[in-house]
Amino acid sequence: MTTNFALTRSFFHLPEGIVYLDGNSLGPLPKGAQARLDRVLEREWGEMLINAWNDAGWMDYSVGIGNRIGRLIGAAEGSIVVGDTLSIKLYQALAAALDLNPKRRVILSDTGNFPSDLYMAEGLIRASNKNLELKVVDPQQVADAIDDSVAVVMLTEVDYRTGRRHAMTALTERAHDAGAITVWDLAHSAGAIPVDLTGAKADFAVGCTYKYLNGGPGAPGFIYVAPDLIDRVRPALCGWLGHESPFAFDLDYRPVTGIERMRVGTPSIIAMAVLDAALEVWDQVEMADVRAKSLALSQRFMDFVDRHCPQISLASPRDPAMRGSQLSFRFPAGYAVVQALIAKGVIGDFRAPDLMRFGITPLFIGEAEIDAACQSLKEVLDREIWRQPQFQQQKFVT
Ligand SMILES: *Cc1c(COP(=O)(O)O)cnc(C)c1O
């Protein structure tokens, strides 16, 4: 299949006059979301009331949506379940991985990981009373730090700040050779780059759906467990919907067979329905096409900056193989530059202390948008528009 990007673009509501380069933080609104929401509110919740759990397929969303995401990240049918948030799914994956490797006490991660992942690990360690240790090394040091003390290698494949990408297959192999289990966070991978969880022999993976997958603010997270591990996994969050027989209301917990044991409690059906509608566009898409276009657009952006914006420096790897689907540039007053760009209708974002981030999302971004963003960037820098006082005021969400 050759992906039709004019068609994918038509799936989204894109406000007039805006160049949206922040789909790596919050994807835009899929047009189909409104009709799906109307159906869920009016025909399902409104008319069917509680019968909708059985009759409108509400109970099937968690695994059904998981399979839809699975196609994009090389996961076998029935190996992903959707729900809760990424932070919670990470906690579950990490707890399960530690439980499978009980003689070891080190969780290895890196300084490129998203803080929430590290915080969840710290909290889990405190709750476990097992003298576990979180070891955080530089991203370049991860491979060498995998030794026979490491129980779990917990990494985010694509660094949210710079877009630097870990070699998932090689690191997973190295971890396995050392007797460690892997937990991969795909927050900036799913829908951004081709991922092959099966081919990489990944053990656990987690991700969110509101970034490149466009599922909406606070859309549910997902968890993958390798099919050969799933029935050996003992869930740490023993919610009733992961029980073998939730409606038996037994007093003791027995996990159900298969990936549904990673479910916890009642899912937000409204959020699930919107996410399911958002995933419809992905059924028309080949990740290899998305990747090729992402790299071409990124190259176009980098070439322009090299030629016309000497004030800023590239923070992302130049080598496409080492990069996800975003570009980051360093500039001391990066926050003010991003604010000045937003005032011109070019939306990127900022990560402290000095990183300006631009998400490259080919489903709805093409050469015209990249060129417009580049021209605005050059103007803001050359004319020092960012120095204006209104662009200095720091907001809570950057
Ligand atoms: C976005 C992101 C999160 C956010 O987690 P939530 O629970 O969805 O708020 C966590 N980890 C990584 C790597 C992320 O990029």
Side-chain angles (χ1 to χ4, degrees), residues 19 36 45 56 62 84 119 150 164 170 176 188 225 232 266 276 290 308 328 343 349 366-367 384:
V19 173
R36 180 68 72 92
W45 183 18
S62 303
D84 315 300
Y119 304 159
V150 175
R164 176 203 42 75
H176 289 169
H188 294 271
V225 184
R232 289 167 51 205
T266 310
D276 195 47
V290 172
H308 301 288
S328 303
D349 66 16
E367 290 183 353
E384 300 197 350

mmCIF file of all heavy atoms in Angstrom, residues 19 36 45 56 62 84 119 150 164 170 176 188 225 232 266 276 290 308 328 343 349 366-367 384:
data_model
loop_
_atom_site.group_PDB
_atom_site.id
_atom_site.type_symbol
_atom_site.label_atom_id
_atom_site.label_comp_id
_atom_site.label_asym_id
_atom_site.label_seq_id
_atom_site.Cartn_x
_atom_site.Cartn_y
_atom_site.Cartn_z
ATOM 1 N N VAL A 19 0.105 26.186 11.762
ATOM 2 C CA VAL A 19 1.015 25.084 11.425
ATOM 3 C C VAL A 19 1.275 24.340 12.730
ATOM 4 O O VAL A 19 1.869 24.893 13.665
ATOM 5 C CB VAL A 19 2.335 25.609 10.828
ATOM 6 C CG1 VAL A 19 3.315 24.454 10.653
ATOM 7 C CG2 VAL A 19 2.076 26.288 9.487
ATOM 8 N N ARG A 36 -18.518 9.819 16.629
ATOM 9 C CA ARG A 36 -18.435 8.665 17.528
ATOM 10 C C ARG A 36 -18.917 9.029 18.932
ATOM 11 O O ARG A 36 -19.639 8.275 19.587
ATOM 12 C CB ARG A 36 -16.995 8.147 17.578
ATOM 13 C CG ARG A 36 -16.834 6.944 18.482
ATOM 14 C CD ARG A 36 -17.536 5.712 17.925
ATOM 15 N NE ARG A 36 -16.814 5.215 16.788
ATOM 16 C CZ ARG A 36 -15.862 4.282 16.871
ATOM 17 N NH1 ARG A 36 -15.602 3.704 18.016
ATOM 18 N NH2 ARG A 36 -15.215 3.905 15.797
ATOM 19 N N TRP A 45 -24.928 5.304 25.793
ATOM 20 C CA TRP A 45 -25.175 5.666 27.193
ATOM 21 C C TRP A 45 -26.609 6.185 27.350
ATOM 22 O O TRP A 45 -27.363 5.742 28.231
ATOM 23 C CB TRP A 45 -24.153 6.717 27.631
ATOM 24 C CG TRP A 45 -24.240 7.137 29.058
ATOM 25 C CD1 TRP A 45 -24.869 6.476 30.082
ATOM 26 C CD2 TRP A 45 -23.694 8.331 29.615
ATOM 27 N NE1 TRP A 45 -24.740 7.181 31.244
ATOM 28 C CE2 TRP A 45 -24.012 8.325 30.998
ATOM 29 C CE3 TRP A 45 -22.953 9.394 29.116
ATOM 30 C CZ2 TRP A 45 -23.616 9.350 31.859
ATOM 31 C CZ3 TRP A 45 -22.551 10.413 29.971
ATOM 32 C CH2 TRP A 45 -22.891 10.390 31.328
ATOM 33 N N ALA A 56 -23.322 -2.768 23.308
ATOM 34 C CA ALA A 56 -22.642 -1.798 22.436
ATOM 35 C C ALA A 56 -21.144 -2.080 22.347
ATOM 36 O O ALA A 56 -20.391 -1.257 21.825
ATOM 37 C CB ALA A 56 -22.892 -0.378 22.935
ATOM 38 N N SER A 62 -10.990 -2.534 25.160
ATOM 39 C CA SER A 62 -9.629 -2.605 25.719
ATOM 40 C C SER A 62 -8.704 -3.471 24.873
ATOM 41 O O SER A 62 -7.562 -3.097 24.607
ATOM 42 C CB SER A 62 -9.676 -3.127 27.149
ATOM 43 O OG SER A 62 -10.512 -2.304 27.928
ATOM 44 N N ASP A 84 -6.208 2.908 31.610
ATOM 45 C CA ASP A 84 -5.451 3.683 32.609
ATOM 46 C C ASP A 84 -4.568 4.725 31.911
ATOM 47 O O ASP A 84 -4.960 5.266 30.895
ATOM 48 C CB ASP A 84 -4.648 2.722 33.498
ATOM 49 C CG ASP A 84 -5.487 1.533 33.946
ATOM 50 O OD1 ASP A 84 -6.500 1.767 34.610
ATOM 51 O OD2 ASP A 84 -5.174 0.386 33.583
ATOM 52 N N TYR A 119 10.125 8.302 38.262
ATOM 53 C CA TYR A 119 9.380 8.472 39.516
ATOM 54 C C TYR A 119 8.581 7.210 39.843
ATOM 55 O O TYR A 119 8.504 6.797 41.001
ATOM 56 C CB TYR A 119 8.380 9.635 39.433
ATOM 57 C CG TYR A 119 8.924 11.004 39.069
ATOM 58 C CD1 TYR A 119 8.064 11.978 38.555
ATOM 59 C CD2 TYR A 119 10.263 11.342 39.248
ATOM 60 C CE1 TYR A 119 8.516 13.243 38.225
ATOM 61 C CE2 TYR A 119 10.724 12.611 38.906
ATOM 62 C CZ TYR A 119 9.854 13.555 38.384
ATOM 63 O OH TYR A 119 10.286 14.804 38.042
ATOM 64 N N VAL A 150 21.564 -6.769 36.787
ATOM 65 C CA VAL A 150 20.384 -6.045 36.303
ATOM 66 C C VAL A 150 19.180 -6.982 36.144
ATOM 67 O O VAL A 150 19.250 -7.962 35.405
ATOM 68 C CB VAL A 150 20.689 -5.339 34.960
ATOM 69 C CG1 VAL A 150 19.434 -4.692 34.384
ATOM 70 C CG2 VAL A 150 21.789 -4.300 35.147
ATOM 71 N N ARG A 164 16.477 11.493 20.238
ATOM 72 C CA ARG A 164 17.473 10.421 20.092
ATOM 73 C C ARG A 164 16.818 9.055 20.305
ATOM 74 O O ARG A 164 15.997 8.895 21.181
ATOM 75 C CB ARG A 164 18.613 10.603 21.107
ATOM 76 C CG ARG A 164 19.626 9.462 21.076
ATOM 77 C CD ARG A 164 20.403 9.314 22.373
ATOM 78 N NE ARG A 164 19.582 9.469 23.542
ATOM 79 C CZ ARG A 164 18.724 8.569 24.010
ATOM 80 N NH1 ARG A 164 18.575 7.403 23.404
ATOM 81 N NH2 ARG A 164 17.992 8.817 25.081
ATOM 82 N N ALA A 170 19.036 -4.405 19.425
ATOM 83 C CA ALA A 170 20.376 -4.724 19.953
ATOM 84 C C ALA A 170 20.383 -4.683 21.481
ATOM 85 O O ALA A 170 20.965 -5.567 22.129
ATOM 86 C CB ALA A 170 21.392 -3.739 19.386
ATOM 87 N N HIS A 176 18.908 -9.685 27.245
ATOM 88 C CA HIS A 176 18.585 -11.116 27.365
ATOM 89 C C HIS A 176 19.846 -11.947 27.588
ATOM 90 O O HIS A 176 19.845 -12.872 28.405
ATOM 91 C CB HIS A 176 17.824 -11.593 26.132
ATOM 92 C CG HIS A 176 16.420 -11.063 26.073
ATOM 93 N ND1 HIS A 176 15.620 -11.171 24.953
ATOM 94 C CD2 HIS A 176 15.672 -10.404 26.991
ATOM 95 C CE1 HIS A 176 14.440 -10.616 25.199
ATOM 96 N NE2 HIS A 176 14.454 -10.139 26.417
ATOM 97 N N HIS A 188 7.003 7.969 22.371
ATOM 98 C CA HIS A 188 7.378 8.757 21.195
ATOM 99 C C HIS A 188 7.740 7.866 20.011
ATOM 100 O O HIS A 188 8.457 8.296 19.104
ATOM 101 C CB HIS A 188 8.517 9.721 21.551
ATOM 102 C CG HIS A 188 8.081 10.767 22.525
ATOM 103 N ND1 HIS A 188 7.532 11.961 22.121
ATOM 104 C CD2 HIS A 188 8.027 10.766 23.876
ATOM 105 C CE1 HIS A 188 7.199 12.667 23.196
ATOM 106 N NE2 HIS A 188 7.486 11.962 24.271
ATOM 107 N N VAL A 225 2.613 -7.289 26.528
ATOM 108 C CA VAL A 225 3.394 -8.347 27.169
ATOM 109 C C VAL A 225 3.642 -9.422 26.118
ATOM 110 O O VAL A 225 2.703 -9.841 25.421
ATOM 111 C CB VAL A 225 2.663 -8.958 28.386
ATOM 112 C CG1 VAL A 225 3.559 -9.987 29.077
ATOM 113 C CG2 VAL A 225 2.231 -7.881 29.370
ATOM 114 N N ARG A 232 2.647 -16.134 32.659
ATOM 115 C CA ARG A 232 3.527 -16.255 33.836
ATOM 116 C C ARG A 232 3.535 -14.972 34.654
ATOM 117 O O ARG A 232 4.107 -14.933 35.738
ATOM 118 C CB ARG A 232 4.959 -16.555 33.381
ATOM 119 C CG ARG A 232 5.129 -17.965 32.830
ATOM 120 C CD ARG A 232 6.455 -18.123 32.107
ATOM 121 N NE ARG A 232 7.589 -17.666 32.905
ATOM 122 C CZ ARG A 232 8.749 -17.246 32.390
ATOM 123 N NH1 ARG A 232 8.927 -17.232 31.085
ATOM 124 N NH2 ARG A 232 9.720 -16.844 33.179
ATOM 125 N N THR A 266 -12.609 -0.153 35.757
ATOM 126 C CA THR A 266 -13.553 0.234 34.706
ATOM 127 C C THR A 266 -12.951 1.304 33.794
ATOM 128 O O THR A 266 -12.535 2.351 34.275
ATOM 129 C CB THR A 266 -14.832 0.787 35.358
ATOM 130 O OG1 THR A 266 -15.261 -0.169 36.347
ATOM 131 C CG2 THR A 266 -15.916 1.010 34.342
ATOM 132 N N ASP A 276 -10.731 5.044 19.648
ATOM 133 C CA ASP A 276 -11.040 4.086 18.586
ATOM 134 C C ASP A 276 -11.319 4.822 17.268
ATOM 135 O O ASP A 276 -10.855 4.413 16.203
ATOM 136 C CB ASP A 276 -12.246 3.230 19.008
ATOM 137 C CG ASP A 276 -12.389 1.995 18.138
ATOM 138 O OD1 ASP A 276 -11.367 1.308 17.907
ATOM 139 O OD2 ASP A 276 -13.507 1.727 17.677
ATOM 140 N N VAL A 290 5.066 6.482 6.462
ATOM 141 C CA VAL A 290 5.112 7.577 7.438
ATOM 142 C C VAL A 290 6.571 7.907 7.751
ATOM 143 O O VAL A 290 6.967 9.074 7.799
ATOM 144 C CB VAL A 290 4.357 7.188 8.730
ATOM 145 C CG1 VAL A 290 4.553 8.228 9.824
ATOM 146 C CG2 VAL A 290 2.869 6.994 8.433
ATOM 147 N N HIS A 308 20.035 29.045 7.132
ATOM 148 C CA HIS A 308 19.450 30.361 7.418
ATOM 149 C C HIS A 308 19.332 30.728 8.898
ATOM 150 O O HIS A 308 18.947 31.851 9.203
ATOM 151 C CB HIS A 308 18.046 30.459 6.789
ATOM 152 C CG HIS A 308 18.043 30.259 5.308
ATOM 153 N ND1 HIS A 308 18.553 31.213 4.441
ATOM 154 C CD2 HIS A 308 17.614 29.234 4.537
ATOM 155 C CE1 HIS A 308 18.417 30.758 3.192
ATOM 156 N NE2 HIS A 308 17.861 29.565 3.231
ATOM 157 N N SER A 328 14.718 18.885 17.542
ATOM 158 C CA SER A 328 14.901 19.814 18.656
ATOM 159 C C SER A 328 16.111 20.685 18.375
ATOM 160 O O SER A 328 17.113 20.200 17.841
ATOM 161 C CB SER A 328 15.115 19.049 19.963
ATOM 162 O OG SER A 328 14.034 18.183 20.201
ATOM 163 N N ALA A 343 2.600 32.856 18.441
ATOM 164 C CA ALA A 343 1.872 34.091 18.086
ATOM 165 C C ALA A 343 1.738 34.236 16.573
ATOM 166 O O ALA A 343 0.811 34.875 16.076
ATOM 167 C CB ALA A 343 2.581 35.308 18.679
ATOM 168 N N ASP A 349 6.839 23.306 20.880
ATOM 169 C CA ASP A 349 6.866 23.497 22.328
ATOM 170 C C ASP A 349 8.288 23.581 22.836
ATOM 171 O O ASP A 349 9.255 23.585 22.056
ATOM 172 C CB ASP A 349 5.995 22.470 23.069
ATOM 173 C CG ASP A 349 6.486 21.043 22.950
ATOM 174 O OD1 ASP A 349 7.654 20.829 22.568
ATOM 175 O OD2 ASP A 349 5.700 20.123 23.252
ATOM 176 N N GLY A 366 2.918 18.598 5.769
ATOM 177 C CA GLY A 366 3.643 18.385 4.519
ATOM 178 C C GLY A 366 4.714 19.450 4.323
ATOM 179 O O GLY A 366 5.010 20.229 5.240
ATOM 180 N N GLU A 367 5.263 19.499 3.120
ATOM 181 C CA GLU A 367 6.363 20.441 2.842
ATOM 182 C C GLU A 367 5.932 21.887 3.045
ATOM 183 O O GLU A 367 6.705 22.711 3.544
ATOM 184 C CB GLU A 367 6.863 20.240 1.408
ATOM 185 C CG GLU A 367 7.593 18.927 1.230
ATOM 186 C CD GLU A 367 8.163 18.761 -0.168
ATOM 187 O OE1 GLU A 367 7.867 19.612 -1.047
ATOM 188 O OE2 GLU A 367 8.899 17.788 -0.377
ATOM 189 N N GLU A 384 14.707 39.314 16.009
ATOM 190 C CA GLU A 384 14.698 39.224 17.484
ATOM 191 C C GLU A 384 13.325 39.543 18.074
ATOM 192 O O GLU A 384 13.206 40.193 19.118
ATOM 193 C CB GLU A 384 15.808 40.098 18.082
ATOM 194 C CG GLU A 384 17.182 39.654 17.588
ATOM 195 C CD GLU A 384 18.345 40.182 18.438
ATOM 196 O OE1 GLU A 384 18.125 41.041 19.308
ATOM 197 O OE2 GLU A 384 19.473 39.696 18.210
#
